[in-house]
């Protein structure tokens, strides 16, 4: 079936560096993608989203890039801070009637 | 606004017991969903609703029932709990199903022994 997944289960970065979290999807007709951040013991929280008619979208310290040719999207976090430590999920519209989530990447920020 | 509220936060059940996980939202969203989260597997859709009186199955519906009598509430019922249902359960609401941001509750951690 159609899927949305993440490349790495864990990513470790130094405080102040930029982080890049990657995600791949299989349905070329997917129209909408979203990134969530989940801290320990909490529900997922919205970070940023992007629709398929865009290649890039920026928020506060975050940028999402969408490459429809290779069916890949990434989340870039600038100047990573300890408070960015969490699990990050990409989710997308895979043709099912609700968002499909990837398995998550745990971002560890080293001081 | 409280957003999406789930109760209880923690629950331990014995195999075969039944229970209801409560979910309420105050954003007047038509769409509500239940997901379960297991280690290394992301969130998987159990059931969803596109409005009061309308529900449908998601990816992993077996062993769960839902109903949607009001816009605000979307309870999830476990009919006869099994150890395989040990998980963290999240309720979400949104303006659309797969094309808009979903707002999540804080989760219910369920252990079935």
């Amino acid at each position: 079936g159609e899927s949305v997944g993440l490349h790495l289960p864990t990513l470790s970065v130094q405080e102040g560096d930029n982080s890049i979290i990657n995600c791949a999807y299989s349905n070329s007709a997917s129209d909408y993608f979203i990134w969530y951040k989940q801290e320990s013991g909490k529900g997922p929280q919205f970070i940023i989203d992007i629709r398929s008619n865009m290649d890039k979208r920026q928020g506060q310290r975050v940028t999402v890039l969408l490459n429809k040719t290779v069916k890949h999207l990434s989340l870039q976090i600038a100047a990573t801070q300890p408070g960015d430590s969490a699990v990050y999920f990409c989710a997308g519209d895979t043709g099912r009637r609700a968002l499909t989530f990837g398995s998550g990447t745990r971002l560890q920020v080293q001081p | 606004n409280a957003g999406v509220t789930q109760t209880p936060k923690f629950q331990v059940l014995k195999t075969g017991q039944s229970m209801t996980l409560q979910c309420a939202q105050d954003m007047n969203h038509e769409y509500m969903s239940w997901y379960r989260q297991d280690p290394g597997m992301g969130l998987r859709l159990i059931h969803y609703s596109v409005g009061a009186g309308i529900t449908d199955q998601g990816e992993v519906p077996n062993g769960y029932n839902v109903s949607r009598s009001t816009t605000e509430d979307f309870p999830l019922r476990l009919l006869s709990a099994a150890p395989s249902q040990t998980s963290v359960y999240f309720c979400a609401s949104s303006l659309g199903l797969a094309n808009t941001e979903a707002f999540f509750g804080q989760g219910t951690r369920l252990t079935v022994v």
Side-chain angles (χ1 to χ4, degrees):
Chain A
E2 303 296 352
S3 66
V4 175
L6 286 165
H7 289 177
L8 292 174
T10 303
L11 176 66
S12 184
V13 300
Q14 292 293 124
E15 182 179 353
D17 287 350
N18 296 335
S19 303
I20 300 176
I21 303 172
N22 296 301
C23 183
Y25 62 96
S26 62
N27 186 352
S28 57
S30 293
D31 184 55
Y32 176 76
F33 301 92
I34 188 168
W35 283 96
Y36 282 94
K37 173 186 180 183
Q38 186 179 27
E39 296 173 292
S40 181
K42 297 184 178 180
Q45 292 180 294
F46 171 84
I47 302 174
I48 192 168
D49 59 4
I50 189 168
R51 300 196 183 275
S52 61
N53 60 351
M54 302 174 70
D55 297 323
K56 178 180 180 179
R57 193 169 187 214
Q58 289 184 290
Q60 187 177 9
R61 278 201 309 119
V62 295
T63 300
V64 56
L65 299 177
L66 176 62
N67 185 329
K68 295 179 285 292
T69 302
V70 296
K71 291 183 281 188
H72 178 273
L73 69 157
S74 65
L75 176 71
Q76 301 180 2
I77 304 173
T80 311
Q81 303 168 359
D84 295 326
S85 293
V87 178
Y88 290 81
F89 293 94
C90 67
D93 161 24
T94 60
R96 298 174 185 164
R97 299 187 67 184
L99 289 172
T100 298
F101 283 79
S103 55
T105 290
R106 180 173 298 279
L107 177 64
Q108 298 174 330
V109 182
Q110 307 296 330
Chain B
N1 286 348
V4 179
T5 303
Q6 289 183 238
T7 56
K9 194 168 178 64
F10 302 95
Q11 183 70 50
V12 179
L13 289 178
K14 294 182 179 179
T15 297
Q17 286 185 316
S18 63
M19 80 158 294
T20 299
L21 280 62
Q22 301 292 342
C23 176
Q25 54 96 4
D26 61 2
M27 295 174 281
N28 202 32
H29 287 164
E30 288 296 320
Y31 299 92
M32 297 186 73
S33 308
W34 275 102
Y35 291 85
R36 60 176 288 172
Q37 184 175 34
D38 301 299
M41 298 188 73
L43 285 84
R44 292 183 293 168
L45 182 68
I46 304 171
H47 284 286
Y48 64 95
S49 170
V50 300
I54 306 170
T55 65
D56 206 347
Q57 297 181 349
E59 185 183 354
V60 289
N62 293 340
Y64 307 95
N65 274 359
V66 292
S67 61
R68 184 94 180 273
S69 57
T70 66
T71 299
E72 294 77 21
D73 300 299
F74 191 42
L76 178 72
R77 297 184 186 85
L78 280 71
L79 307 174
S80 177
S84 62
Q85 293 178 304
T86 294
S87 188
V88 181
Y89 292 85
F90 289 100
C91 178
S93 76
S94 58
L95 289 171
L97 263 185
N99 59 358
T100 61
E101 175 189 355
F103 295 82
F104 285 84
Q106 293 296 295
T108 295
R109 182 174 293 276
L110 176 68
T111 302
V112 183
V113 298

